[in-house]
Amino acid sequence: MLELGAIGFAAPLYLTALLVLPVIWWLLRTTPPAPRRIAFPAVRFLFGLRETEETPARTPLWLLLLRMFLVALVVIALARPVINPDRGFTGSGPLMLVVDNGWAAAPHWGARLEMMDDLIARAEREARSVILVPTAPSATGDEIPALRPMPPVEAVERAHALAPSPWPVDRRAALSAIADAEIEGAVNVVWLADGLASPASEELAVQLQRLGSLRMVTDPARNQPLLLRPPTMTGARLTALVRRPAASAERPFWIRASDENGDVVTRHQGHFATDAVSAEIDLPLPAERRNRITRLTVENAPSAGAVVLLDDRWRRRPVGLVSGRALEQAQPLLSDLYYLERALEPFSDIRRGQIGDLIEDELAVLALADVGTLTSPEVDALESWIARGGVLVRFSGPRLSEGSDELVPVRLRRGDRSLGGAMSWEKPATLAPFDEFGPFSNLAIPDDVEVHRQILAEPSVDLIDKTWVRLTDGTPLITADRRGEGWLVLVHTTANSDWSNLALSGLFVDMLRRLTELSDGMTDREPTTTMSPIETLDGFGRLGSAPGTARPIAGADWPEAAATAATPPGFYGGEGLRRALNLSPGIDDFQLLSSPPPGAVHDSYGETSEADTRPWLLTAALVLLLIDLCISLALRGLVARRGAAVAAGLAGLLMLVPPPASAQDFDDPFSPANTAKRASLGIHLGYVLTGIPQVDDISRDGLRGLNAILSRRTSVEPEEPIAVDIETDDLSVYPMLYWPIVGGQKTPSDEAVAGLNTYIRNGGMILFDTRDRAPGGRNDRSVTRQLRQLVRGLDIPPLVPVPEEHVLTRAFYLLSEFPGRWRGGTLWVEEEPKVNDGVSSVIVGGHDWASAWAIDETGRPRFAVVPDGERQREIAFRFGVNLVMYALTGNYKADQVHVPAIMERLGL
């Protein structure tokens, strides 16, 4: 590169063409312009005869200068001049790109890609090779492969294949790989850092500087990554903590809480005070809405560190309390509910009232403290509530010892048993160790917990199976019985300190927490079995299906589990239990990266990029060429001089118009308009992303197979099908969307629903494929519920089975059925559409058409069709052709129905 001050030329050899300018000057001076010709009769020639004959001998000087300037602009543009050229390269050694591709790089990954493209482009201009070193561990856990110089073309492909990982970087591994590399000579090192400190950061910087020149690029202070810690629950408050690596100016942020369907539950704003590195924000919500939250996200900070997944440990279950006596206000310490309230308050929403009123509302647990005999209506209501998943916990006392109803897990003896006291030879009993497979396993039993009185259970065959807690003498203290989806639990002592000091211990709190968790079918606070990955986060904090490289976590290892390449953050489950593994708890040292060693250059993204002036120069040359053309036409008399002046002035105004965006802007995968631009340049069928890779692949291959049939049999020439994200993509450029219905799809947001409504109201068509017609397939009701959940809020018109004379039966082929991979179901269309040329905006069926259309790379069908084989596949393709023709051409076939009547009226 040739540098002249602040301007550099990437291809300076083209500047030698400026030496030809004198020759061009001489040619233009010696070659006169064409003479002016005027055609008219001879008599008219006599009238216009001039006394002196004038013949132009040379081109005007100002026109010569204009043309010389035009040629100079073209030559300079070919030399690729740039303003503020990057001066980071020295010598002739290769370029080493060290890229931090951990979670902290995700929020501004586009800036890193742009920087990599600029650096690799310059390396290509200077004929340098490139060494690419990512610092985040790979998903497979493999070591960094041996480093080698590669051509810039290959480096660009590998750079664009990089993506942020949902775990931290491992600079120690990168340091080891660089130390083992065989690199000859000096190297130009550019470290695209994420700005955060980590083990071996300083050692890596020193090692990189030893290789040659070092330039470290980090985010500016305003773009520091944010880290969201798991929220804390204090009473009824859910408090989130957001951190930044260093204090700076005041900075606002928003926290969004959403449920498992992606719907926003609440959204609150917080801010970092000046010189503060952390900020807390409270999320005040009723218990019902708070319990729906499964995800907290810091908006506009897309990374795995700015997302916290919540499981049942963050749910505050509503617990109802009912006492058998009314001594609550006068002597609260003797109250049956005093210790229950204080034990449940940290993790539950406590409600008081009558039994009937409490179970009518959403309630997880109902505790009855020494409530004797229940009425028959109360027993019936409670049995029905327990069968639906409720947990009823009854505590004993004087009233229950005198007589009880049938709503107890075991038969009870009348009266109670006294242990210890002045009139007894027995001593107070202590608790026996808990069963390792019971709900109270792993809880520590204090030595000072004693039981003075209890209600005894009648011996029975199933008493052992129903006993959860025993005293040291073997008598049951807590018994339980499974009733439907819920539990009936009896504590054979009181809820206060009358019969036992259990209510005064910390063990009482832990036991009540375990009993409360039973309302969701959980029997352990921490997993005891292997937890397999269900859904995991990617580097941008997006939740999706777990990759095949994710490993299970053993139950014993769960308390110490951290998000790594082998165990990415996400939801893990086993035996009906689901736990969230988050990234932020494993990040203890959240600080800025220290300054580079002396002699190294420290830059920020977006502050030192080159400015390519070639588009401006070529645009200016084109405008000058248009002006020269207008002047030449005027001098030859082909156009009026005034008109030529106006045209030249308009061409001059083009100088003020910015040059068009470069091709890189169009190809940028992070550009939101990229998909819409590609779709607008041809006919592209779209398929809605479901978040399940296998289903999305089938949709893509199915539309590819349909495209091949359309290209062979019709005049339609469709382009490659495009995956459509209904949350972000512009739908207006697609004539038809294929939407497979599968379990686990997220409910569209309000913005997505509004976009879908606009799409179908303005001529778009959506084919909903429930894929439920397989023999022995999914239950129709579950699929219907899933479909209704997904289309909730859509303005869908009434639907009817396809009539016999519908256009879909004759748009291209004559059809009487519409099979896919399966057959036998009903195809539903809009009933008599009055808009959009009478075309149905919504079509619903369940035949799995994409699987019938799907082809592999060799063009062969991917799936078998049942029951009629290839004949059925042919009919499925014909339906696909009819469907596309229906979407593209509207209702024109219906108009042909009236042709015979029109011909008859005309007498033809």
Side-chain angles (χ1 to χ4, degrees):
M1 175 177 284
L2 176 65
E3 298 181 4
L4 300 176
I7 301 177
F9 295 90
L13 291 179
Y14 282 97
L15 294 177
T16 57
L18 293 176
L19 299 176
V20 188
L21 288 180
V23 178
I24 297 176
W25 175 278
W26 179 76
L27 290 175
L28 293 176
R29 290 276 295 176
T30 58
T31 304
R36 181 181 180 184
R37 297 181 179 182
I38 302 176
F40 52 89
V43 177
R44 298 283 299 175
F45 175 76
L46 295 176
F47 293 148
L49 187 63
R50 298 182 180 180
E51 295 181 0
T52 58
E53 184 177 353
E54 296 181 359
T55 302
R58 63 186 63 180
T59 303
L61 178 62
W62 58 270
L63 185 57
L64 276 174
L65 294 176
L66 176 66
R67 292 174 175 175
M68 296 294 287
F69 184 60
L70 190 155
V71 175
L73 283 179
V74 174
V75 173
I76 295 174
L78 292 177
R80 301 179 67 176
V82 292
I83 300 176
N84 296 324
D86 186 358
R87 298 179 176 85
F89 293 175
T90 59
S92 59
L95 166 66
M96 176 179 285
L97 275 178
V98 181
V99 184
D100 284 347
N101 59 326
W103 70 269
H108 303 282
W109 185 251
R112 287 161 173 77
L113 269 184
E114 183 178 353
M115 177 73 74
M116 284 190 282
D117 287 341
D118 291 342
L119 292 171
I120 296 175
R122 176 163 185 188
E124 183 179 11
R125 296 195 300 261
E126 300 183 7
R128 299 176 185 268
S129 57
V130 180
I131 303 173
L132 190 61
V133 187
T135 60
S138 64
T140 58
D142 298 333
E143 296 181 356
I144 299 177
L147 303 181
R148 63 174 180 85
M150 65 184 75
V153 176
E154 181 182 352
V156 169
E157 295 179 357
R158 294 203 175 189
H160 281 270
L162 289 178
S165 302
W167 46 78
V169 297
D170 185 359
R171 291 176 178 145
R172 195 176 302 279
L175 178 62
S176 177
I178 294 173
D180 296 340
E182 298 179 359
I183 302 175
E184 299 180 358
V187 179
N188 294 272
V189 183
V190 181
W191 183 6
L192 303 183
D194 58 15
L196 298 182
S198 68
S201 297
E202 296 181 359
E203 294 90 335
L204 179 61
V206 172
Q207 177 66 22
L208 293 177
Q209 192 179 32
R210 289 175 182 171
L211 297 176
S213 63
L214 172 61
R215 175 184 173 194
M216 186 171 70
V217 187
T218 59
D219 287 309
R222 65 180 181 276
N223 291 338
Q224 293 179 4
L226 299 181
L227 188 68
L228 179 62
R229 297 290 190 184
T232 58
M233 297 183 65
T234 306
R237 292 193 312 166
L238 186 67
T239 304
L241 176 67
V242 183
R243 292 201 59 192
R244 58 180 176 178
S248 59
E250 183 177 352
R251 178 180 177 181
F253 62 88
W254 285 86
I255 294 288
R256 182 175 70 248
S258 52
D259 60 16
E260 61 183 357
N261 295 322
D263 298 333
V264 177
V265 178
T266 186
R267 184 171 176 266
H268 291 275
Q269 184 180 24
H271 72 280
F272 290 100
T274 305
D275 299 330
V277 296
S278 62
E280 289 187 350
I281 181 170
D282 291 333
L283 304 176
L285 287 171
E288 291 79 2
R289 295 184 62 194
R290 184 171 60 249
N291 289 342
R292 289 172 48 201
I293 299 176
T294 60
R295 177 187 177 109
L296 294 180
T297 307
V298 181
E299 293 186 353
N300 300 321
S303 73
V307 174
V308 168
L309 303 176
L310 306 181
D311 54 34
D312 295 317
R313 291 171 292 178
W314 281 273
R315 289 187 178 182
R316 289 181 58 87
R317 295 174 178 80
V319 178
L321 301 181
V322 178
S323 175
R325 56 179 176 175
L327 198 62
E328 311 299 324
Q329 301 298 329
Q331 297 178 337
L333 292 180
L334 300 179
S335 166
D336 290 332
L337 303 181
Y338 179 81
Y339 298 103
L340 275 175
E341 284 185 342
R342 275 141 188 82
L344 292 167
E345 187 176 17
F347 53 86
S348 302
D349 286 317
I350 300 173
R351 303 172 183 179
R352 286 199 183 194
Q354 300 299 319
I355 294 176
D357 298 334
L358 289 174
I359 63 176
E360 284 182 359
D361 299 329
E362 183 179 350
L363 197 68
V365 179
L366 178 62
L368 305 182
D370 193 21
V371 175
T373 303
L374 299 171
T375 64
S376 296
E378 289 176 335
V379 171
D380 294 339
L382 286 172
E383 286 181 341
S384 176
W385 174 75
I386 295 172
R388 296 194 303 269
V391 176
L392 176 63
V393 182
R394 303 189 68 172
F395 289 87
S396 302
R399 289 173 178 78
L400 193 62
S401 65
E402 293 301 322
S404 66
D405 46 67
E406 296 298 325
L407 198 58
V408 287
V410 295
R411 293 179 57 191
L412 301 178
R413 292 183 179 180
R414 194 174 186 86
D416 57 81
R417 173 195 182 195
S418 179
L419 301 172
M423 302 301 294
S424 174
W425 291 97
E426 300 183 22
K427 295 181 179 180
T430 58
L431 303 184
F434 297 131
D435 188 351
E436 62 177 344
F437 299 107
F440 305 116
S441 62
N442 303 324
L443 291 183
I445 302 176
D447 297 333
D448 57 350
V449 173
E450 297 179 341
V451 176
H452 303 276
R453 297 179 68 179
Q454 68 171 144
I455 295 180
L456 294 176
E458 291 282 0
S460 63
V461 176
D462 57 352
L463 180 60
I464 296 178
D465 298 332
K466 294 182 178 181
T467 301
W468 282 354
V469 178
R470 295 180 178 85
L471 297 179
T472 52
D473 61 3
T475 57
L477 183 66
I478 298 180
T479 55
D481 186 25
R482 185 77 170 182
R483 302 285 180 90
E485 297 295 327
W487 288 94
L488 174 59
V489 182
L490 174 64
V491 182
H492 293 241
T493 189
T494 56
N496 56 16
S497 58
D498 287 351
W499 289 10
S500 170
N501 64 353
L502 175 63
L504 304 179
S505 67
L507 177 62
F508 190 60
V509 178
D510 295 334
M511 295 176 71
L512 288 177
R513 186 191 296 270
R514 297 287 182 91
L515 291 175
T516 304
E517 290 174 349
L518 285 176
S519 58
D520 280 353
M522 299 183 303
T523 58
D524 289 312
R525 178 164 177 75
E526 293 298 341
T528 58
T529 58
T530 300
M531 306 290 286
S532 300
I534 303 174
E535 294 179 299
T536 58
L537 295 173
D538 64 5
F540 296 101
R542 298 173 300 201
L543 191 64
S545 300
T549 56
R551 300 177 184 175
I553 303 175
D557 299 334
W558 184 261
E560 305 298 329
T564 63
T567 56
F571 284 115
Y572 290 72
E575 294 188 358
L577 180 65
R578 190 173 79 159
R579 283 288 183 264
L581 178 64
N582 291 300
L583 172 67
S584 58
I587 300 177
D588 298 325
D589 187 13
F590 188 56
Q591 297 179 358
L592 286 181
L593 186 66
S594 58
S595 300
V601 179
H602 189 191
D603 291 332
S604 297
Y605 295 104
E607 296 182 0
T608 59
S609 60
E610 301 174 343
D612 190 0
T613 60
R614 181 171 54 171
W616 290 95
L617 295 177
L618 291 178
T619 302
L622 177 62
V623 172
L624 291 180
L625 181 62
L626 294 176
I627 293 176
D628 179 82
L629 177 62
C630 295
I631 294 173
S632 300
L633 293 177
L635 291 178
R636 296 179 183 181
L638 299 179
V639 296
R641 292 179 179 266
R642 181 175 298 179
V646 172
L650 293 176
L653 291 177
L654 294 177
M655 296 282 290
L656 304 177
V657 179
S662 63
Q664 180 181 349
D665 297 333
F666 181 83
D667 295 332
D668 183 5
F670 290 89
S671 174
N674 183 30
T675 302
K677 287 180 180 178
R678 289 194 292 116
S680 63
L681 298 179
I683 299 175
H684 292 266
L685 303 181
Y687 60 94
V688 176
L689 289 173
T690 63
I692 302 176
Q694 296 86 347
V695 177
D696 295 339
D697 291 345
I698 293 174
S699 300
R700 179 198 61 213
D701 294 344
L703 293 185
R704 283 178 177 173
L706 181 58
N707 285 351
I709 295 295
L710 288 168
S711 300
R712 289 199 298 264
R713 302 184 183 182
T714 71
S715 60
V716 179
E717 297 181 357
E719 305 290 340
E720 185 74 8
I722 294 179
V724 177
D725 186 346
I726 59 176
E727 298 289 341
T728 58
D729 291 344
D730 181 8
L731 308 180
S732 61
V733 294
Y734 302 98
M736 187 190 78
L737 293 179
Y738 175 76
W739 191 337
I741 306 301
V742 294
Q745 285 182 264
K746 295 182 179 179
T747 303
S749 63
D750 294 339
E751 294 78 8
V753 170
L756 289 168
N757 281 332
T758 301
Y759 174 71
I760 60 180
R761 290 168 183 166
N762 290 278
M765 177 189 295
I766 304 178
L767 173 62
F768 291 98
D769 191 350
T770 57
R771 307 164 67 244
D772 61 341
R773 298 310 305 170
R778 295 174 298 171
N779 184 274
D780 290 345
R781 294 183 179 179
S782 64
V783 176
T784 303
R785 285 196 300 268
Q786 179 71 16
L787 177 60
R788 289 177 177 175
Q789 183 179 1
L790 291 175
V791 302
R792 185 184 305 163
L794 290 184
D795 187 13
I796 296 181
L799 302 179
V800 296
V802 176
E804 293 183 0
E805 300 298 326
H806 195 273
V807 180
L808 266 177
T809 64
R810 63 183 67 193
F812 195 86
Y813 291 101
L814 295 177
L815 299 176
S816 59
E817 59 176 347
F818 314 96
R821 188 180 184 186
W822 324 111
R823 65 185 304 174
T826 302
L827 188 69
W828 300 81
V829 296
E830 183 177 348
E831 181 181 11
E832 299 182 359
K834 299 296 191 300
V835 295
N836 301 329
D837 197 25
V839 176
S840 177
S841 58
V842 174
I843 301 175
V844 181
H847 297 84
D848 195 4
W849 289 287
S851 295
W853 301 333
I855 58 174
D856 58 17
E857 292 77 5
T858 62
R860 296 180 179 179
R862 286 188 55 186
F863 304 98
V865 291
V866 178
D868 293 339
E870 294 307 309
R871 174 59 183 171
Q872 181 175 325
R873 191 189 308 277
E874 171 63 23
I875 302 300
F877 274 124
R878 293 185 180 185
F879 166 68
V881 172
N882 278 18
L883 184 68
V884 175
M885 300 300 291
Y886 181 50
L888 294 178
T889 63
N891 219 5
Y892 84 104
K893 280 286 186 178
D895 297 335
Q896 295 184 4
V897 176
H898 306 290
V899 171
I902 296 175
M903 299 291 288
E904 182 179 357
R905 290 184 180 181
L906 293 176
L908 299 176

